[in-house]
Amino acid sequence: MMTDQTLISVAPRVKLKWYQVIDPITKLLFILDMTSLSFASMNLLLQAGLILVATLLLLFSKLSSTIFKALGFSLFLICTMLIIQGLFYSRNQTVLFSVLGVSFYKEGLIYATTLGCRVLVIILTSGFFMVTTSISENAAYLELSGLSYKTVYVLMSVCYILPEMMRNMRKIQQAQKVRGTNPQKTLIQKLKSVLPVLIPLVIKTLDQSMARSISLQLRGFDNLNRTVRTSQRVYRLSRTLHIGLTGLAILLIGWKIWTKINGL
């Protein structure tokens, strides 16, 4: 007859996916390195390579509807930058093409494309972090790394305030559709529906953050004698990755500062 202890010992281990054995700090350092490398170069081939790497990471991890919405907004922003910089960039000299008598310049379009690539790198790498790392995992690991509870809470609030605002916005839009107060059939109607609720949306999100903070304080999470919950997950090569990615970030930032000082 098998005892409970025997059943526990023979229970199959849950196989972790590849992104689950990478610790949160390594992912954050990876975002820093990718962003630093993107801002350190104006080479469009390098920018395309960074976007490809970030896209593959998302494809081989998991996708979220939030990522697609963020990408949609980013592409709209990039198209706007292409039009504005293609027409009015201060260093425009070479006409690339004309549409209905309006000339678009090569220099402005290249500059806007570079900025757009940097935006995509940030969105894709941040999206990879968001969809592969939970709030509880982040908080537990950062506390175990030596950060205070208050610092961890501030960092987590900043990282996840945008997704929470988007969730609140979806709730408001669904309520408006149910009541038939805003059909949102055209782009102008969508803009009209967003602007009136923008301030209440921000206030509601901040109020939710304050309510969570008070709730956690009442539960004793800010108690200095509180025992930090240990993580059961084993991360691979954490120290090596931290040292390597931190060194790469320092080199990239230092090189960018040196090129700015020397006017290169």
Side-chain angles (χ1 to χ4, degrees), residues 155-166:
L155 289 175
M156 292 301 99
S157 298
V158 171
C159 288
Y160 290 94
I161 194 169
L162 182 58
E164 188 162 349
M165 288 183 66
M166 294 179 69

Side-chain angles (χ1 to χ4, degrees), residues 28-95:
L28 289 173
L29 288 173
F30 173 75
I31 295 174
L32 177 61
D33 286 343
M34 291 283 284
T35 304
S36 300
L37 188 56
S38 180
F39 277 84
S41 174
M42 294 287 290
N43 191 314
L44 291 179
L45 288 177
L46 176 61
Q47 303 291 344
L50 295 176
I51 293 174
L52 178 62
V53 170
T55 303
L56 290 175
L57 286 175
L58 273 175
L59 291 177
F60 286 103
S61 54
K62 58 181 180 179
L63 296 175
S64 169
S65 59
T66 305
I67 301 299
F68 289 108
K69 292 178 181 179
L71 286 175
F73 177 76
S74 300
L75 291 175
F76 171 75
L77 180 63
I78 291 170
C79 290
T80 305
M81 288 193 299
L82 285 171
I83 294 173
I84 295 175
Q85 298 296 337
L87 293 174
F88 305 112
Y89 184 50
S90 59
R91 298 180 182 178
N92 281 341
Q93 292 181 352
T94 308
V95 177

Side-chain angles (χ1 to χ4, degrees), residues 74-257:
S74 300
L75 291 175
F76 171 75
L77 180 63
I78 291 170
C79 290
T80 305
M81 288 193 299
L82 285 171
I83 294 173
I84 295 175
Q85 298 296 337
L87 293 174
F88 305 112
Y89 184 50
S90 59
R91 298 180 182 178
N92 281 341
Q93 292 181 352
T94 308
V95 177
L96 190 62
F97 62 88
S98 299
V99 178
L100 299 176
V102 180
S103 299
F104 288 84
Y105 292 84
K106 178 181 177 181
E107 292 80 7
L109 290 174
I110 292 176
Y111 180 68
T113 302
T114 304
L115 292 180
C117 289
R118 291 170 177 172
V119 170
L120 289 177
V121 168
I122 295 173
I123 294 294
L124 291 171
T125 52
S126 300
F128 169 73
F129 175 77
M130 294 296 180
V131 300
T132 60
T133 315
S134 65
I135 297 178
S136 58
E137 180 187 357
N138 284 331
Y141 188 84
L142 290 174
E143 273 199 273
L144 288 173
S145 300
L147 290 180
S148 65
Y149 163 75
K150 292 183 179 180
T151 304
V152 172
Y153 179 78
V154 170
L155 289 175
M156 292 301 99
S157 298
V158 171
C159 288
Y160 290 94
I161 194 169
L162 182 58
E164 188 162 349
M165 288 183 66
M166 294 179 69
R167 282 194 296 270
N168 291 333
M169 188 64 197
R170 283 197 297 272
K171 291 179 182 179
I172 294 173
Q173 290 175 340
Q174 289 173 358
Q176 289 176 336
K177 288 180 181 179
V178 170
R179 296 171 184 173
T181 57
N182 200 337
Q184 299 184 14
K185 293 181 179 179
T186 64
L187 180 61
I188 295 177
Q189 288 177 337
K190 290 182 179 180
L191 290 175
K192 287 183 179 179
S193 68
V194 171
L195 293 177
V197 301
L198 193 58
I199 294 178
L201 177 65
V202 174
I203 293 174
K204 180 181 179 181
T205 305
L206 293 176
D207 183 63
Q208 289 175 337
S209 298
M210 292 177 63
R212 278 197 308 272
S213 177
I214 294 172
S215 176
L216 291 174
Q217 287 179 2
L218 292 175
R219 294 177 185 178
F221 275 76
D222 59 344
N223 190 342
L224 296 177
N225 297 322
R226 180 174 66 89
T227 302
V228 180
R229 181 175 62 88
T230 58
S231 177
Q232 300 297 323
R233 187 172 297 178
V234 178
Y235 299 106
R236 297 176 182 173
L237 302 175
S238 296
R239 183 174 178 80
T240 303
L241 290 172
H242 291 174
I243 295 174
L245 292 174
T246 302
L248 180 59
I250 293 173
L251 287 175
L252 290 172
I253 295 173
W255 181 69
K256 184 63 177 178
I257 294 174

